[in-house]
Amino acid sequence: MASFWQSFQSLFTREGDYRPLIVKTDIKSLSSQGLSIAPDHSAAFIHCSTSPPNYYLFKYGTSSINMDRGGFGQIRSLGINYGCIFDGVTAGGKINAYAAQSFGDTVLSWLGSNPKAFRRGQQERNTELARQVMLSATDSSLNPGLADPAHQADGGSATGAFVIFEKVSKTVAHLHGGSIGDVAVLIVHLRQEQARQLNPVYRKHEKDTGGQLTMSIGLDGPVWTLSCEVTSDEVVVLSTDGLTDNLEMAELDRVLPLIMRAQLFNTIVPFECEPICKSPPSRPSYAFLRDLTRNHLDSLAAVSCRTASIRLFNYVEWVTRSYFKQEEIFYDLSLRVSALQRVIAAGSTATTAAAAAAAVTSASSAASAGAAGVSGTGGAEGGTPATSAPPPPPAA
């Protein structure tokens, strides 16, 4: 389960011209790329995973793939912030990661080139425009595989959302945007310490994306139009299901701000603080989190986007830790069984039979040892816990 989310703080930190700037995930790396922060600290995103390396090895033959892609940009001279997030559908492997990256690149480029395209009070026009932004990103001519066959994205699918903010006064900006599938657009009021979800998500079951866009094919499901006013006291969070699947969404209004305030999540949570939920879909309630973090809460108004992003990641790592270990044991055994099957397929001599028996014993021993160590750590894709923040982006 990959996790990526993005926080935008309003454009009211200072006046003055600011050239367009885009920070985004890099198509050259399939692995997680860590924490990225805007130069003025008004925006941040974190791109990390809570699945073990052997999951990716078994599924895709590589040590890591983070399906979540996106980035953000700013045009301060126009009072504009914008950003997007796309989540490749897990079952498709690399092709969906590259599709998600391409969708993000296309939408970021369009938003930066058309910052005034959406207009307040023109709902019908904005609805069609949001749909066209998503649809145009699926054009076959934009397939990155045309330029580099290693980045083939034809037929790749993702869910996604984008937002663009236009400053209308010293304390107010107007948000426009669109979403498709199970990506969430969340607004957190810093002073009231309340959160709400801006876009609807409808899924028939846990594995259903609720809608998606597909390279060279188009849209499957509705594109929801986003439009509202936000103030300098609010932060907008774009999140894939890596976060929302691990939140008690019935209590979102209180749970999300509490996590962002909690000093407990400044670092990887100690092992002795095991969550009450051992694997999804059980999630910590507001009451449980309140008691766990009591007397160690910051004022939300004082929490930066960087700190909020790190705390959200460390929360997800904590909630999914036991599930991480279960996956680690299962896919380690699966890799060993696959190796055993290859040995058996190679022949049936006594030597081969002896090797097969040894492989079975090794796999059984590994599974037993893993089962005894279920309280181990999760974290980023290498399985190594962070001490204060997620790992830096890997070298290209």
Side-chain angles (χ1 to χ4, degrees):
M1 173 182 49
S3 302
F4 173 82
W5 43 87
Q6 182 167 289
S7 306
F8 286 92
Q9 221 157 21
S10 302
L11 285 164
F12 312 106
T13 53
R14 68 182 183 212
E15 297 295 331
D17 188 33
Y18 197 76
R19 65 181 177 83
L21 171 68
I22 293 181
V23 180
K24 61 182 181 180
T25 51
D26 186 355
I27 196 171
K28 296 178 182 178
S29 176
L30 283 172
S31 61
S32 295
Q33 296 167 33
L35 180 69
S36 297
I37 309 167
D40 65 353
H41 300 282
S42 68
F45 74 74
I46 193 165
H47 186 249
C48 288
S49 175
T50 55
S51 287
N54 54 12
Y55 165 83
Y56 299 102
L57 283 171
F58 181 78
K59 289 280 191 179
Y60 311 117
T62 185
S63 61
S64 62
I65 298 179
N66 196 322
M67 294 291 178
D68 305 335
R69 303 278 148 171
F72 58 82
Q74 299 174 320
I75 308 175
R76 188 168 293 277
S77 59
L78 298 178
I80 298 289
N81 265 8
Y82 58 92
C84 69
I85 185 170
F86 289 89
D87 180 7
V89 179
T90 302
K94 295 179 182 179
I95 190 173
N96 288 345
Y98 289 131
Q101 180 70 48
S102 178
F103 298 151
D105 291 348
T106 299
V107 171
L108 285 172
S109 178
W110 190 90
L111 292 172
S113 300
N114 301 275
K116 298 284 189 177
F118 290 92
R119 298 171 185 170
R120 282 176 288 154
Q122 298 187 21
Q123 183 65 23
E124 185 174 342
R125 178 183 185 278
N126 292 341
T127 297
E128 180 57 26
L129 185 56
R131 183 181 180 279
Q132 286 300 320
V133 170
M134 291 291 195
L135 181 61
S136 65
T138 70
D139 192 289
S140 60
S141 66
L142 299 173
N143 175 12
L146 298 176
D148 184 347
H151 297 158
Q152 183 57 246
D154 193 43
S157 299
T159 61
F162 69 89
V163 291
I164 184 163
F165 303 83
E166 180 183 1
K167 185 177 178 181
V168 296
S169 73
K170 290 184 177 180
T171 58
V172 176
H174 199 91
L175 178 154
H176 297 287
S179 71
I180 184 169
D182 57 10
V183 166
V185 181
L186 311 169
I187 297 182
V188 183
H189 197 288
L190 301 177
R191 299 195 184 280
Q192 296 177 4
E193 298 182 346
Q194 293 283 308
R196 71 185 192 277
Q197 184 167 338
L198 192 57
N199 64 317
V201 172
Y202 298 108
R203 299 195 296 185
K204 297 176 183 178
H205 49 78
E206 188 176 319
K207 300 297 183 182
D208 181 28
T209 64
Q212 59 197 45
L213 59 168
T214 302
M215 180 64 73
S216 305
I217 295 178
L219 306 177
D220 179 13
V223 174
W224 302 103
T225 305
L226 312 177
S227 180
C228 69
E229 287 192 343
V230 293
T231 73
S232 54
D233 290 331
E234 292 177 306
V235 168
V236 175
V237 180
L238 304 186
S239 167
T240 67
D241 57 0
L243 175 62
T244 52
D245 279 356
N246 291 291
L247 288 175
E248 182 49 72
M249 295 300 287
E251 299 182 293
L252 172 72
D253 60 330
R254 297 187 296 171
V255 166
L256 184 62
L258 182 64
I259 296 167
M260 293 169 65
R261 295 175 61 200
Q263 297 172 15
L264 174 67
F265 300 117
N266 283 343
T267 61
I268 294 297
V269 179
F271 302 138
E272 58 268 22
C273 295
E274 284 300 314
I276 53 172
C277 53
K278 295 303 180 184
S279 67
S282 300
R283 305 164 185 92
S285 67
Y286 172 77
F288 178 84
L289 289 171
R290 180 197 58 207
D291 292 342
L292 184 67
T293 60
R294 191 184 300 277
N295 302 324
H296 298 283
L297 297 172
D298 294 325
S299 165
L300 192 55
V303 175
S304 68
C305 286
R306 175 186 182 277
T307 298
S309 295
I310 290 172
R311 287 175 177 176
L312 288 171
F313 170 74
N314 286 332
Y315 164 82
V316 173
E317 188 281 335
W318 170 68
V319 168
T320 60
R321 183 178 297 161
S322 293
Y323 191 64
F324 176 100
K325 291 303 298 182
Q326 293 170 21
E327 278 196 322
E328 192 170 47
I329 295 165
F330 175 81
Y331 287 108
D332 181 61
L333 183 58
S334 298
L335 286 168
R336 292 172 183 269
V337 169
S338 294
L340 170 59
Q341 290 172 336
R342 290 193 295 271
V343 169
I344 293 173
S348 57
T349 64
T351 301
T352 302
V360 170
T361 302
S362 176
S364 299
S365 298
S368 298
V374 154
S375 61
T377 64
E381 285 157 343
T384 303
T387 55
S388 59

